[in-house]
Amino acid sequence: MNISAVYNDYQFQFNGGQDDFVFKLFSGVKDWNFKADFENYPNTTHTLKYGINYTYHTLTPNTASASNGEVEFNTTFKPKYANESAVYFLDDIKFNNKWAINTGFRFSMFQQVGPYTSKISGKQFGAFETAKTYTGLEPRLSINYKASNDFSIKSGVAITTQYLHLVSNSSSTLPADVWVPSTEIVKPQRGTQYALGFFKNFNNDTYETSIEVYYKDLRNQIDYADNYVNDISKEVEDAFVFGNGRAYGAEFFLKKAKGKLNGWIGYTLSRSERSFEDIEAGRWYPAVYDRTHDVSVVLNYKLSKKWDLGAIFIYGTGKLFTPVRGFFFVEQNINLFYGPRNSSRLDDYHRMDLSATYTPKPDSKKKWKGSWNFSVYNVYNRKNPFFVNFETETDFQTGTNTITGSKITIFPLIPSITYNFKWN
């Protein structure tokens, strides 16, 4: 049994059967959260897991303040409040040496509560009074077939419901991501995922390999309308449009688990697309999160009892954005117009990190154990663009206007030295 609760910056946790009570300090957590998880073992081949959780949310998607001399500006948006709760049940059964099944369901509920004034009816809701309720039934099933000691096949399907949404604006100068809750206007996102995987070990489990393919069907997806203008004085949910999405791909994995030299290589080939009737007549376009190629290489080498070396290489297809195609004037003010949604990409992202960890021989007289870590982030100082900044310039002598775009990069080569220790 595991029971934990979080309130503001504090977490309380109790693990049954271990006779311990854990108190932790967190920063930036503003929600109230409680969860309880339980496990039963009817026999050695059967495991039951079930539990409940509850979260009280306080969210303000867009707030801003500014000043110019004695003039100050502050948005007056009120926070949105919500109750999110769920109960789940999982049943893990191993029928024999070859077949195993994991099935379960999760019933979730999300309630937008007051204080709140309805944008649709104008009705006012008092504190903790329910303004809108959504529910979701989320079944899942996975089957594992072990063909031999070193080869297995896994397949599964799962239906999920998401009540908090991350929305990205790909046409703004600086990528702006905001978290918004489900409301009477914003409906929960729902998805169905299908997956099939093949897993094979070689050389007495020294090497582990896998190939997995997946497909996701997504509904109630969210994006900004074509005519959206980044105006911090307006509620962001008023600018949303809703549609469908899909994501599919294949993941390849190779791991060396034994020996002085170990590590893994992972490669993902994927697509993530969206379609909205109110955006370009329903054309399917890549989502801002779409990343066609994603490669990760991690290597570790045990040089000696005291020295460990490490290297990480990451490569990914460049991030999508909506390019500027021109400009027009409205009352002598320059306004930009954009090309097709997410039709351009930044340069591909890649970097290498190196590290070396020195662990002195343990000294029984000391009350702690320590180690030194020397690392270099982005060894070859790759200038990976984070976003494109568009600026308009006017030549008053010739009366011409031009638009220039410049790539903004962050995180160059960064060396660091860290000392880690723990009490004996």
Side-chain angles (χ1 to χ4, degrees):
M1 178 180 66
N2 180 283
I3 298 177
S4 65
V6 175
Y7 177 67
N8 285 343
D9 291 340
Y10 303 96
Q11 173 172 324
F12 308 89
Q13 181 174 324
F14 171 74
N15 299 315
Q18 298 180 10
D19 296 328
D20 61 357
F21 181 83
V22 180
F23 173 82
K24 296 183 179 180
L25 179 65
F26 285 77
S27 61
V29 181
K30 297 181 179 179
D31 295 345
W32 161 255
N33 174 268
F34 170 83
K35 66 176 183 178
D37 303 302
F38 305 89
E39 293 185 16
N40 285 338
Y41 304 91
N43 53 58
T44 56
T45 60
H46 193 183
T47 302
L48 297 175
K49 297 181 180 180
Y50 49 93
I52 59 173
N53 63 70
Y54 166 79
T55 302
Y56 177 73
H57 294 289
T58 303
L59 300 105
T60 307
N62 56 328
T63 59
S65 62
S67 62
N68 184 6
E70 296 181 355
V71 179
E72 293 187 359
F73 168 81
N74 290 279
T75 54
T76 58
F77 300 133
K78 296 181 180 179
K80 290 181 172 63
Y81 306 95
N83 296 317
E84 184 176 0
S85 57
V87 56
Y88 75 91
F89 177 84
L90 290 175
D91 193 359
D92 195 349
I93 305 174
K94 187 176 181 180
F95 293 105
N96 50 46
N97 292 332
K98 292 184 176 296
W99 290 95
I101 186 172
N102 183 294
T103 184
F105 70 89
R106 181 176 182 268
F107 178 78
S108 59
M109 182 170 64
F110 188 91
Q111 295 176 308
Q112 181 187 7
V113 297
Y116 174 73
T117 301
S118 172
K119 294 184 178 181
I120 298 176
S121 64
K123 181 180 178 180
Q124 293 186 345
F125 297 88
F128 298 102
E129 185 178 0
T130 302
K132 184 68 177 181
T133 299
Y134 293 103
T135 59
L137 184 60
E138 306 169 35
R140 60 199 63 197
L141 172 67
S142 65
I143 300 173
N144 184 7
Y145 174 67
K146 190 174 183 179
S148 63
N149 290 333
D150 55 15
F151 179 65
S152 62
I153 303 173
K154 299 179 182 179
S155 63
V157 58
I159 298 176
T160 57
T161 303
Q162 182 174 317
Y163 299 105
L164 300 180
H165 321 287
L166 180 63
V167 189
S168 296
N169 179 16
S170 62
S171 62
S172 65
T173 300
L174 178 67
D177 296 345
V178 295
W179 284 97
V180 296
S182 296
T183 64
E184 58 179 352
I185 297 176
V186 181
K187 296 181 180 180
Q189 299 183 62
R190 302 189 189 277
T192 303
Q193 176 170 311
Y194 310 89
L196 175 65
F198 302 88
F199 303 82
K200 173 72 174 177
N201 291 359
F202 296 91
N203 195 17
N204 197 25
D205 294 337
T206 299
Y207 298 95
E208 303 173 8
T209 64
S210 67
I211 300 175
E212 296 183 79
V213 293
Y214 68 91
Y215 180 86
K216 295 180 183 179
D217 178 51
L218 307 169
R219 287 150 290 163
N220 295 339
Q221 298 302 288
I222 304 174
D223 209 334
Y224 291 98
D226 272 336
N227 60 355
Y228 170 71
V229 178
N230 192 5
D231 188 346
I232 60 175
S233 66
K234 296 180 180 180
E235 286 268 18
V236 289
E237 69 177 22
D238 295 336
F240 292 155
V241 293
F242 305 94
N244 298 317
R246 62 192 180 197
Y248 49 92
E251 299 178 353
F252 306 87
F253 184 77
L254 168 64
K255 178 180 180 180
K256 185 177 184 293
K258 299 179 181 180
K260 284 189 174 183
L261 176 65
N262 58 76
W264 54 268
I265 301 174
Y267 168 65
T268 300
L269 174 66
S270 63
R271 293 287 291 175
S272 181
E273 301 171 319
R274 301 293 184 269
S275 174
F276 300 84
E277 291 184 4
D278 298 321
I279 298 178
E280 301 174 20
R283 176 183 73 89
W284 283 94
Y285 64 86
V288 70
Y289 315 107
D290 180 81
R291 201 172 188 179
T292 309
H293 303 285
D294 193 327
V295 180
S296 296
V297 181
V298 177
L299 295 176
N300 300 295
Y301 182 71
K302 186 73 173 178
L303 184 64
S304 66
K305 293 182 179 180
K306 295 182 179 181
W307 284 98
D308 293 279
L309 306 180
I312 299 175
F313 176 76
I314 296 175
Y315 171 87
T317 303
K319 185 177 180 180
L320 285 157
F321 69 97
T322 303
V324 173
R325 294 305 188 204
F327 59 88
F328 58 94
F329 290 89
V330 176
E331 297 180 353
Q332 298 183 345
N333 293 319
I334 296 179
N335 291 268
L336 305 178
F337 69 84
Y338 296 86
R341 183 71 60 98
N342 295 343
S343 57
S344 294
R345 288 187 183 272
L346 296 172
D347 297 339
D348 291 347
Y349 180 98
H350 57 85
R351 77 169 200 270
M352 177 180 287
D353 307 334
L354 297 178
S355 66
T357 302
Y358 173 72
T359 305
K361 183 179 179 180
D363 187 348
S364 58
K365 297 180 179 179
K366 291 185 178 180
K367 296 182 179 180
W368 70 86
K369 297 178 182 178
S371 63
W372 289 94
N373 179 266
F374 308 90
S375 63
V376 181
Y377 176 93
N378 196 2
V379 171
Y380 49 87
N381 198 29
R382 163 71 175 178
K383 292 179 171 57
N384 290 298
F386 183 56
F387 66 93
V388 177
N389 182 41
F390 293 99
E391 294 182 347
T392 59
E393 297 180 358
T394 302
D395 188 333
F396 293 99
Q397 293 182 351
T398 61
T400 59
N401 295 275
T402 59
I403 299 176
T404 58
S406 56
K407 300 174 184 177
I408 307 301
T409 63
I410 59 174
F411 301 132
L413 181 149
I414 303 175
S416 65
I417 300 176
T418 307
Y419 181 72
N420 302 298
F421 68 93
K422 62 180 180 180
W423 299 105
N424 290 328

